């Protein structure tokens, strides 16, 4: 009964008041201006700029009792797109985004969901029921431009695939390469991959659902749904990918792994393919690795100040271990490549064992793990010691054997880099001790530990500024402590006021308000006092406390400093560093 969506509001300002977006004083101000000017309440609310565009539309959706659709978070159905002509979509600002063939319902979102004449016209034209929602006008305009103009290829090919290739066996037996290239399904796959390259995606997920196939892209670390394909093209699309990856087409009961190369917009991309049998069919995940990708510098990644100085000091030592920690997808390997780019000169022999090799680096001997052939991190590390190395990089320390070998390599005069899955830098020594590494050997070999996360940068083309709300101000002061006062003083000297970035959204960032990524770091050099704590097998919290006393910034602190500098948002820092 208390669900706001079920409540009936007399007018729009009631919905705003109920949601706490305006107070009673603003409510009366709207009434007064309406009486004076004769404007509608919508015109008054927009003129006074009382709420953000998103909050305004969400409240309007409550008032009109229609769903609110965020077009950035949903995929679109190419079938639905063909049912509404582009000219109609542009004229009436309509987006057809979903089609339920079973119940004969076409889902649309529009700027004016009360335009009953247009809705009736669409019902007659499509012979379908119309389910209406409301969205931001700028999202609708952007969506029409993107889907009708840029994505005509996939829409037409899906239609052709449904018309011409209803027999599944015909689709999967495209052995002749000329026929395969011309086939609608091949073009669907090409379009999916071209969009991935264009949108800087790191992964593509092809997921069969009960009624459709969901295509999602991981862009700047966030999965975004972009396409909803008809269910009956799923097997053909998966088969096409399997053909390209040299996988068994008829084997659908077990996971398979493969790879192939793809070229788009002058970019050569190495794709790592993984298939997984699920309830509704095989799910495919494609990891995109650009072959000509430039290795970023540590400063470009987001390291600076004392953290950068401590890491540079550690990598200049001739031997020891440097470990980068964080969860999967936190940019650990990229940081290691940036470090290798510094140390890999013609005077040193650098060898790496990775799974997979993500960047091809000049002057570095890179080895790919091959478990089936018996080439693991541990066996490769054992072989490396007979290769006269100066620097060794082990993609990940997964077990005691690899940990012991890495420690022994460091103690015998080699500089070793590796990664470990822990939440923060202070958790690394206890984890290695749990693996069975002797405390006195660990303190003798461990030079430095780097903890990191990756978050999205605000789009510089559309970002605005806003005052810091009191709750955010309290959080900043509590987390940063004296650092906050130092930043405030620095800004005051430059005649600036501390603000937070205001996320807006534009065409360049696909209306997300974010473009590109940056890392937040905590760098913990292993000092004499920390060594003593490690030998005593102290808890991670005690190790972190000591490291902070010695000047280490935590990842959350580094993130909040970047927020105040306008690099990212508080929401992003909390999303990745709140644990």
């Amino acid at each position: 009964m208390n669900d706001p969506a079920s409540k009936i509001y007399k007018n729009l300002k009631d919905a705003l008041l109920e949601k706490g977006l305006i107070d009673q004083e603003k409510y009366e101000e709207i009434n007064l201006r309406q009486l004076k000017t004769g404007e509608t309440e919508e015109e008054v609310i927009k003129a006074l700029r009382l709420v953000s565009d998103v909050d305004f539309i969400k409240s309007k959706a409550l008032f009109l009792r229609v769903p609110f659709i965020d077009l950035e978070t949903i995929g679109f159905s190419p079938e639905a797109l063909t049912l509404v002509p582009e000219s109609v979509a542009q004229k009436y600002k309509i987006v057809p985004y979903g089609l339920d063939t079973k119940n004969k319902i076409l889902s649309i979102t529009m700027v004016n969901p009360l335009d009953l004449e247009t809705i009736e016209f669409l019902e007659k034209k499509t012979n379908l029921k119309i389910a209406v929602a409301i969205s931001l006008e700028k999202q609708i305009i952007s969506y029409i431009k993107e889907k009708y103009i840029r994505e005509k290829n996939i829409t037409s090919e899906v239609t052709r695939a449904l018309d011409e290739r209803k027999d599944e066996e015909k689709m999967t037996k495209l052995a002749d390469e000329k026929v395969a290239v011309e086939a609608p399904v091949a073009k669907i796959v090409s379009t999916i991959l071209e969009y991935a390259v264009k949108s800087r995606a790191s992964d593509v997920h092809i997921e069969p659902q009960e009624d459709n196939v969901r295509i999602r892209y991981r862009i700047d670390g966030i999965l975004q749904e972009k396409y909803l394909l008809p269910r009956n093209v799923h097997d053909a699309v998966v088969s096409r990918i399997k053909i390209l990856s040299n996988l068994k087409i008829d084997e659908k009961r077990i996971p398979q792994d493969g790879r192939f190369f793809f070229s788009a917009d002058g970019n050569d991309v190495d794709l790592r393919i993984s298939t997984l049998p699920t309830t509704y069919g095989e799910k495919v995940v494609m990891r995109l690795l650009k072959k000509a990708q430039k290795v970023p510098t540590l400063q470009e990644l987001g390291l600076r100040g004392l953290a950068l100085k401590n890491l540079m000091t550690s990598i200049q030592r001739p031997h020891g271990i440097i470990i980068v920690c964080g969860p999967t997808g936190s940019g650990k390997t990229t940081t290691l490549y940036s470090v290798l780019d510094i140390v890999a000169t013609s005077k040193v022999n650098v060898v790496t064992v990775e799974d997979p090799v993500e960047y091809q680096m000049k002057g570095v001997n890179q080895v790919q793990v091959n478990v089936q052939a018996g080439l693991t991190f541990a066996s490769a590390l054992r072989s490396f010691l007979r290769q006269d190395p100066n620097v060794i990089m082990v993609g990940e320390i997964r077990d005691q054997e690899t940990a012991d070998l890495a420690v022994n390599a460091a103690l015998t005069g080699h500089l070793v880099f590796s990664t470990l899955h822990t939440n923060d830098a202070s958790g690394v020594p206890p984890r290695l001790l749990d693996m069975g590494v002797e405390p006195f050997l660990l303190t003798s070999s461990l030079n430095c530990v780097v903890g990191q996360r990756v978050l999205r940068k605000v789009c510089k083309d559309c970002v605005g500024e806003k005052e810091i709300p009191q709750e955010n101000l309290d959080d900043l002061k509590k987390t940063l402590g004296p650092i906050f006062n130092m930043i405030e003083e620095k800004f005051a000297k430059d005649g600036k006021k501390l603000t937070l970035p205001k996320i807006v959204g534009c065409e360049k960032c696909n209306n997300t308000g974010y473009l590109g990524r940056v890392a937040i770091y905590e760098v913990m050099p292993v000092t004499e006092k920390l060594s003593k704590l490690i030998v005593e097998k102290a808890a991670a919290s005690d190790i972190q406390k000591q490291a902070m006393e010695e000047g280490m910034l935590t990842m959350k602190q580094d993130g909040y400093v970047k927020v105040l500098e306008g690099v990212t948002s508080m929401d992003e820092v909390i999303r990745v560093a709140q644990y």
Side-chain angles (χ1 to χ4, degrees), residues 233 317 322 335 343 350 357 425 539:
V233 301
R317 292 180 183 174
I322 294 166
T335 298
V343 300
V350 182
V357 174

Side-chain angles (χ1 to χ4, degrees), residues 207-209 231 234 252 276-284:
E207 301 169 313
Q209 311 284 301
R231 183 71 180 83
H234 170 259
K252 300 179 181 181
L276 182 74
T278 68
T279 310
Y280 296 113
E282 287 182 284
K283 174 181 175 178
V284 179

Side-chain angles (χ1 to χ4, degrees), residues 45 58 142 149 226 240 308 315 331:
I45 292 162
K58 282 183 177 178
S142 173
I149 298 170
K226 291 294 177 184
R240 171 63 184 165
L308 178 61
I315 67 176

Side-chain angles (χ1 to χ4, degrees), residues 126-167:
T126 61
N127 202 25
L128 297 166
K129 294 175 188 173
I130 304 295
V132 185
I134 190 171
S135 295
L136 280 167
E137 185 174 354
K138 67 175 182 179
Q139 278 193 350
I140 286 176
I141 292 167
S142 173
Y143 199 96
I144 291 169
K145 187 177 180 182
E146 181 182 349
K147 302 308 176 189
Y148 278 99
I149 298 170
R150 297 182 190 172
E151 308 297 349
K152 276 182 180 175
N153 195 8
I154 194 166
T155 304
S156 59
E157 295 309 331
V158 165
T159 307
R160 277 186 62 200
L162 290 169
D163 291 343
E164 299 174 18
R165 301 284 178 179
K166 289 181 181 178
D167 184 356

Side-chain angles (χ1 to χ4, degrees), residues 494-550:
D494 298 337
K496 297 176 183 175
K497 187 183 175 185
L498 280 181
T499 57
L500 292 182
K502 183 183 178 184
I503 305 305
V504 180
C506 63
E507 191 174 331
K508 191 170 181 181
C509 64
N510 203 16
N511 282 315
T512 61
Y514 297 96
L515 187 65
R517 291 197 283 175
V518 69
I520 53 175
Y521 290 94
E522 56 186 35
V523 177
M524 186 180 81
V526 180
T527 60
E528 194 176 327
K529 287 182 179 179
L530 285 174
S531 295
K532 189 179 177 185
L533 287 174
I534 293 168
V535 170
E536 292 169 356
K537 296 188 177 181
S541 55
D542 295 329
I543 292 172
Q544 185 181 59
K545 187 180 176 183
Q546 180 58 42
M548 289 176 72
E549 284 176 11
E550 294 178 11

Side-chain angles (χ1 to χ4, degrees), residues 209-259:
Q209 311 284 301
E210 187 177 1
D211 300 317
N212 51 45
V213 181
R214 182 168 67 168
I215 312 294
R216 294 195 292 172
Y217 296 85
R218 191 174 292 281
I219 302 168
D220 291 335
I222 305 292
L223 274 173
Q224 298 178 19
E225 190 176 308
K226 291 294 177 184
Y227 299 121
L228 287 171
L229 302 183
R231 183 71 180 83
N232 49 358
V233 301
H234 170 259
D235 288 348
V237 168
V238 173
S239 295
R240 171 63 184 165
I241 293 167
K242 282 184 171 181
I243 289 168
L244 293 169
S245 314
N246 291 320
L247 299 179
K248 294 177 182 175
I249 296 173
D250 56 344
E251 182 54 84
K252 300 179 181 181
R253 299 165 299 168
I254 59 170
Q256 295 187 69
D257 294 310
R259 61 185 288 184

